[in-house]
Amino acid sequence: METLSALFVFWREQAGKLGEQTLQHIGLTAGSLLLGVLLGVPLGLWLSRRPRWAPAVLGLAGVLQTVPSIALLGFLIPLLGIGPKPAIFALFLYSLLPIIRNTLAGIQGVPPAVVEAARGLGLTDAQVLRQVELPLALPVLMAGIRTATVINVGVATLAAYVAAGGLGEFIFGGIALNNPVMILAGALPAAGLALVFDALLGGVQRLSTRRLSQVGTGLLVALPLLGALYLLPRATGKLLAGFSPEFVGRADGLPSLTKTYGLRRLPSVVLAPALVYEAARHAEVDVIDGYSTDGRIRAYDLRVLRDDRRVFPPYYAVPVVRPALLQQHPELAPVLARLNGLISDSAMTNLNYRADYLHQDPKAIAEAFLRRRGLWRAPRAAAPGAPVVRLGSKIFAEQYILIEMYAALIRGYTDLAVQTKTGLGGTTICFEALRTGAIDLYPEYTGTGLLVLLQPTPAVVDSLGGQPAAVLGYVRREFRRRYQLEWLAPLGFNNTYALLMRQRQARQLGIASVSDLGHFLRQ
C-alpha cells in the first residue's frame, strides 16, 4: 500500500511529464506501425504471388526480430543520429515479421474454390485480390497488425535511450536510481497502452468483413495523425542538454543543479550514458553530464564547467567487498590494499582516454599501469578446485580497468582463481549482485553510495559538508549496519559528476562555470 500511495503521489507531481511521455509513446508506436503496414502488407501480397521468395523474406524478417533492441539502436545511431528517427526505424523493423507473415497466411488461407469462382465470373487478378482475397484475409492480416502493435508498445520504452522520449524515461531513470516507484510510473502506463491497443484492435478484428474493410481504411488515416503526436511543440531554449537517466533523477544531479544554479531554461533530452558524449561531440546537444576523469573529455575537446557552488559531493572510488571474503581469505586484504591511494585524477583520466578514445583493451591498460608501478607479477596457476573470487563492474571503461587491476593482483599474489563479471549495468544491479553474493567485490563511488544507495535525509547530507572523509565515514558505517558490506580504502581519484560543453562553444559564449551557464540562460 505504501508503494501504491507513493506511486499516485509521483503521478500527480509528474502529471505534465507523464502526459508528454505518453503522447510520445503513442506517436512512436503509430509512426512505426504505419511504416510497417505500408511495406509489410504489399510485401506479403507480393509473396502470395511468388511463394518461392517467402522463405528468404520471412527468414530475413525473423533475423531482424531476433536482434536485441539495444544493439539495433546502437547500430542505427551513427546512421540516423539521436531522437525519433532511429527509434521509429527500429520499431518499424520489429513490426515487419508479424505483418508480412499474417498477410501471406491470410491470402493463402482463402479457399481456392472461391478464387476460381471469382475468375469464372470474369474478374481480373487485381479485382480478385481487391474484392475477394483481401477482404477474406483481413481478419488474419489484422491479427498480424495487432501483434506488431503490442510488440512496438513494449519495445518503444527503449526509445528513451536515444533521446526519443516515451515512457521509458521513467523506467530507466528508476532502474538507475534504485527507485521502484519511478519504474512503476513508466511501466504501468506502458502496459496499459499495450492492453488498450490490443483491446481496440481485437474489437476491430471481430467486425464483419465489410465493416472491417471500412475500419481498416480508417486506421490507415488515423495512424499518421497519431504519429504526428510526436511532433507536438516542445520546450526550446538557447541551448539543449542531453542527460543520462540517472543524472536526471538523482538528488545530486539535475534537480540540485536546477535549484542551485537556476537552470530552468535549459531544455533537455534523455540519452543512454554511452551516448551523451557522442551527442555532444557531433553537436546534437550543447550540454551533457559526465564524469571528471572521463577520457573522452580530452579526446573530444570538452570543457568541464566548474561547479563553483559545490553541488556535486565527492565521488572517490572505493572497492566494496563482502566481509566473508576477507575472513575466508585473509591474504586478500594486503593484496587489495596495494592500490590504496595509488591512482590520481590525472592518471585515471589518462587510463580512461586510452580505453575510450584509443580503444585499447582494458586488461592491457591495467597490466601496463601495474608494471609502471612495480606491482606486476606473472599470474600463478590456480590449483583445480581453488576458491574463486568474483569481481564485478558497471558498464563503462573505468570500471573495466579497475577490475582488471584487481584481477591481475589477485592472480599474481595469491593462489585464488578469479572470475570477472563486467558490464553488470548500473549501480543497482552491481549493488544487488554484491548484496546477494553473486559477486564478491566491485568498485563504487562515495557519492553514489551516499545519495543513490543510502538516500539519507537532506539534513544528514548537509551535516557531512561535502567533506570526503566525512562522506566515506558515513557510507562505511551505514553499509556495515544495513547491508553487512565493507568499504575499503579509497583508490585516490575523485570521479565526480560534471557538466560538460564543447570547448569551442563554451569559449565563444564565455561559459567557464555552471554559474556562467545559468546566467547565460537567463539573459
Side-chain angles (χ1 to χ4, degrees):
M1 286 299 293
E2 183 178 346
T3 300
L4 188 61
S5 175
L7 178 62
F8 284 119
V9 170
F10 184 89
W11 273 337
R12 184 173 67 251
E13 293 176 348
Q14 300 288 335
K17 187 70 172 176
L18 178 64
E20 178 185 347
Q21 291 181 4
T22 302
L23 291 178
Q24 290 171 347
H25 210 94
I26 294 172
L28 290 169
T29 303
S32 59
L33 190 63
L34 175 63
L35 295 176
V37 170
L38 292 178
L39 179 62
V41 171
L43 191 52
L45 297 176
W46 181 80
L47 291 177
S48 70
R49 299 301 190 253
R50 294 167 178 81
R52 74 176 188 275
W53 287 95
V57 173
L58 292 176
L60 178 60
V63 168
L64 292 173
Q65 193 83 10
T66 62
V67 176
S69 310
I70 289 293
L72 182 58
L73 287 170
F75 175 76
L76 292 173
I77 291 298
L79 303 175
L80 300 175
I82 64 171
K85 290 180 182 178
I88 290 176
F89 189 74
L91 294 173
F92 153 69
L93 293 179
Y94 282 123
S95 70
L96 286 177
L97 179 61
I99 294 175
I100 296 172
R101 184 172 55 194
N102 279 48
T103 301
L104 176 60
I107 296 296
Q108 291 177 336
V110 176
V114 174
V115 175
E116 288 301 320
R119 290 200 173 107
L121 293 174
L123 272 65
T124 65
D125 287 346
Q127 289 173 325
V128 169
L129 175 64
R130 187 173 61 254
Q131 298 179 26
V132 177
E133 291 179 305
L134 199 52
L136 293 178
L138 269 177
V140 179
L141 190 157
M142 284 299 302
I145 295 176
R146 181 179 177 183
T147 301
T149 303
V150 174
I151 291 173
N152 281 12
V153 170
V155 178
T157 56
L158 295 172
Y161 265 158
V162 292
L167 293 163
E169 289 190 15
F170 280 152
I171 296 173
F172 296 121
I175 292 173
L177 296 167
N178 192 24
N179 187 336
V181 171
M182 187 180 292
I183 296 173
L184 290 173
L188 291 182
L193 281 180
L195 292 174
V196 168
F197 280 133
D198 187 57
L200 290 175
L201 292 175
V204 171
Q205 190 178 347
R206 290 189 291 271
L207 296 175
S208 64
T209 301
R210 183 178 182 84
R211 289 285 296 160
L212 187 54
S213 300
Q214 296 172 347
V215 172
T217 303
L219 283 175
L220 288 178
V221 175
L223 285 176
L225 298 178
L226 290 174
L229 290 174
Y230 199 90
L231 302 177
L232 291 174
R234 303 183 192 181
T236 57
K238 295 180 177 180
L239 301 174
L240 176 65
F243 296 137
S244 61
E246 187 169 354
F247 184 79
V248 169
R250 59 189 287 168
D252 60 328
L254 186 59
S256 289
L257 283 178
T258 300
K259 179 180 179 181
T260 305
Y261 289 104
L263 303 183
R264 293 175 181 81
R265 297 182 183 178
L266 180 64
S268 63
V269 295
V270 175
L271 286 165
L275 298 178
V276 291
Y277 287 92
E278 291 297 324
R281 179 189 187 188
H282 295 292
E284 293 172 326
V285 296
D286 304 299
V287 182
I288 63 170
D289 67 292
Y291 299 97
S292 58
T293 61
D294 198 297
R296 287 166 291 189
I297 296 173
R298 170 186 168 189
Y300 298 164
D301 194 27
L302 302 177
R303 171 179 288 186
V304 177
L305 301 187
R306 190 174 66 257
D307 178 23
D308 47 309
R309 298 186 185 178
R310 298 184 180 180
V311 170
F312 298 129
Y315 279 84
Y316 283 89
V318 181
V320 187
V321 64
R322 294 192 308 112
L325 176 70
L326 299 180
Q327 294 168 5
Q328 295 166 5
H329 308 289
E331 70 273 22
L332 269 179
V335 174
L336 299 177
R338 291 180 179 274
L339 290 183
N340 291 357
L342 190 65
I343 310 175
S344 65
D345 289 6
S346 59
M348 195 69 244
T349 301
N350 183 57
L351 296 177
N352 286 330
Y353 173 79
R354 293 172 61 186
D356 291 326
Y357 188 67
L358 301 182
H359 303 298
Q360 296 179 2
D361 178 40
K363 184 176 182 180
I365 296 171
E367 291 180 359
F369 177 83
L370 294 178
R371 289 180 189 275
R372 289 195 303 273
R373 297 289 181 167
L375 296 176
W376 168 256
R377 282 188 183 179
R380 299 181 186 179
V388 178
V389 179
R390 296 158 299 177
L391 307 178
S393 81
K394 302 181 188 181
I395 193 166
F396 55 94
E398 179 171 291
Q399 293 259 316
Y400 296 163
I401 295 169
L402 295 177
I403 282 302
E404 291 296 346
M405 287 185 187
Y406 281 120
L409 290 173
I410 294 171
R411 292 187 179 114
Y413 287 83
T414 76
D415 296 320
L416 300 172
V418 177
Q419 181 183 26
T420 58
K421 297 185 177 182
T422 55
L424 289 178
T427 297
T428 303
I429 297 173
C430 274
F431 170 69
E432 289 299 327
L434 183 66
R435 194 174 65 85
T436 58
I439 59 175
D440 299 307
L441 177 151
Y442 85 97
E444 188 52 276
Y445 304 91
T446 53
T448 301
L450 175 70
L451 297 169
V452 176
L453 297 174
L454 295 177
Q455 300 181 3
T457 63
V460 171
V461 176
D462 292 342
S463 70
L464 300 176
Q467 298 299 315
V471 172
L472 175 59
Y474 177 83
V475 169
R476 185 175 279 158
R477 289 192 303 273
E478 288 301 304
F479 263 69
R480 287 173 182 165
R481 183 178 68 85
R482 299 189 198 182
Y483 310 121
Q484 293 74 56
L485 297 174
E486 186 68 33
W487 286 62
L488 303 181
L491 301 180
F493 68 92
N494 179 24
N495 189 9
T496 185
Y497 258 136
L499 285 191
L500 310 172
M501 294 181 65
R502 290 182 299 281
Q503 188 77 249
R504 182 177 179 181
Q505 182 187 29
R507 187 165 52 246
Q508 290 174 342
L509 299 178
I511 298 175
S513 67
V514 185
S515 288
D516 292 340
L517 174 63
H519 179 70
F520 173 79
L521 294 173
R522 291 190 294 271
Q523 286 179 341

